[in-house]
Amino acid sequence: MWGVYRLFGSELSPYSVKVRSCFRYKGIPHQWIIRDAANQAEFEKYARLPLIPLVVTPDGQGLQDSTPILEHFEAIYREPSIHRGNTALRFLSALVEEYADEWVNKPMFHFRWYYEADRKSAAERIARSMAANLDADALEAARAAVEARMVPRLKLVGSSPETKDVIEQSLHRQLAILDTHLARRRYLFGARPALADFGLSAQLYQCSTDPTPSSAMSAFPHVLDWIQRMLQPAADGDFEDWNSLAPTLEPLLREEIGRVFLPWSVANARALAAGAKSFAVMLRGRRYAQEPQKYHAKSLAALRARYEKVADRSALDGILRRCGCYEWLAAAL
């Protein structure tokens, strides 16, 4: 489908930034539209759900959900590709992207709405983006309304005084791993971005704009440089092979995805299957509890379906077993 696409989103939405970065990388003609009160009627005309991002195609179709959007445009705009031909590494890229969308969103959302300085900063920026030219009183009222709407949603990502250490330690751990990994390469899988880069950088970009996490991120310059590159990504070479990636990328698979994300994701899916109203799981020796979420279970099922489609899984399974991920992907729900 050729023509100019309209991308409704927000600078404070990681999934909107994720899609925008992909459009920029592929050179897809598009108009970036900040969703606000002025375009609400147009948004509702095309959106099935009141969620951003929304892509409106030249022939008037509405597309939502960031990962399916990226896959849709990968099929239309094949070059530069966000996938690599090697099926094992293609799946690992999808696994990291899944981790970003479903787990790294937790520390992003937690830091943004848990601490007062971050709440005020984010709420004011959202209020300003939703309505221009507000006077001081109107801006404060709008800011307070955004904060009042968003803070109660912390429980939906499992953020609470009891789980804050699990969530915050996860962010610090992944930043340390990524900084080492990115010290020798421009993107996660080499000299060009993969699907994983779009998902993970978009979440961490949000963290870099909020007071509390941005202060911590100053100690990780390679991560910050990568985040900035991903706002205007470019293919600067080829993907690497696993032998060169493994020494510094395996720690992310092992310490974060194998020991935190997949155990949580499987526990969430099992709780939903059992009809439980809440669930608890031990993550790296710490108890983590929250309400089960339907979308996460759906997303895990899609990840497993992607795994099943890998024709030759011999190399992939060796990596997954070594990093403690295989048992969770193969686990019965």
Side-chain angles (χ1 to χ4, degrees), residues 178-236:
L178 289 172
D179 206 62
T180 298
H181 181 67
L182 291 165
R184 297 181 56 188
R185 54 188 52 84
R186 294 182 64 78
Y187 300 102
L188 294 177
F189 285 81
R192 57 191 298 160
L195 177 64
D197 291 272
F198 293 97
L200 189 52
S201 67
Q203 299 291 341
L204 295 180
Y205 169 63
Q206 299 302 318
C207 292
S208 74
T209 71
D210 293 329
T212 301
S214 68
S215 177
M217 293 176 77
S218 64
F220 304 102
H222 302 301
V223 174
L224 291 174
D225 288 345
W226 167 68
I227 290 170
Q228 288 302 308
R229 275 196 296 277
M230 283 303 299
L231 295 177
Q232 295 280 356
D236 298 316

Side-chain angles (χ1 to χ4, degrees), residues 91-92 94-100 102-104 106 170 173 252-271 279-284 288 296-297 299-305 307 316 319-333:
F91 177 79
L92 293 176
L95 177 59
V96 173
E97 190 249 8
E98 175 79 357
Y99 157 74
E102 308 304 326
W103 179 265
V104 185
K106 294 180 182 295
S170 175
R173 189 165 46 246
L252 184 70
L253 300 178
R254 182 175 59 252
E255 302 302 328
E256 276 292 294
I257 296 177
R259 297 185 64 188
V260 178
F261 167 57
L262 287 176
W264 164 81
S265 186
V266 170
N268 176 77
R270 287 173 174 168
F279 72 96
V281 59
M282 297 299 291
L283 302 177
R284 300 179 64 92
Y288 178 93
H296 298 316
S299 192
L300 175 61
L303 180 69
R304 284 175 157 174
Y307 169 76
L316 174 61
I319 297 168
L320 294 174
R321 289 181 188 277
R322 191 163 57 250
C323 295
C325 298
Y326 177 83
E327 62 184 283
W328 300 108
L329 288 169
L333 298 182

Side-chain angles (χ1 to χ4, degrees), residues 10 12-14 50-52 105 108-115 118-124 126-127 130 142-159:
S10 167
L12 281 85
S13 160
L51 302 173
I52 50 176
N105 181 254
M108 187 287 293
F109 198 91
H110 163 80
F111 277 108
R112 177 162 286 177
W113 301 109
Y114 192 88
Y115 294 105
D118 302 85
R119 290 198 303 264
K120 289 184 175 180
S121 171
E124 180 174 332
I126 291 172
M130 292 172 61
R143 186 207 62 77
V146 171
E147 186 174 338
R149 183 174 73 252
M150 299 304 293
V151 171
R153 297 183 183 183
L154 281 167
K155 68 177 183 179
L156 298 179
V157 301
S159 170

Side-chain angles (χ1 to χ4, degrees), residues 41-55:
E42 184 182 10
F43 179 88
E44 292 178 350
K45 178 181 177 181
Y46 298 104
R48 299 186 307 277
L49 298 169
L51 302 173
I52 50 176
L54 166 70
V55 175

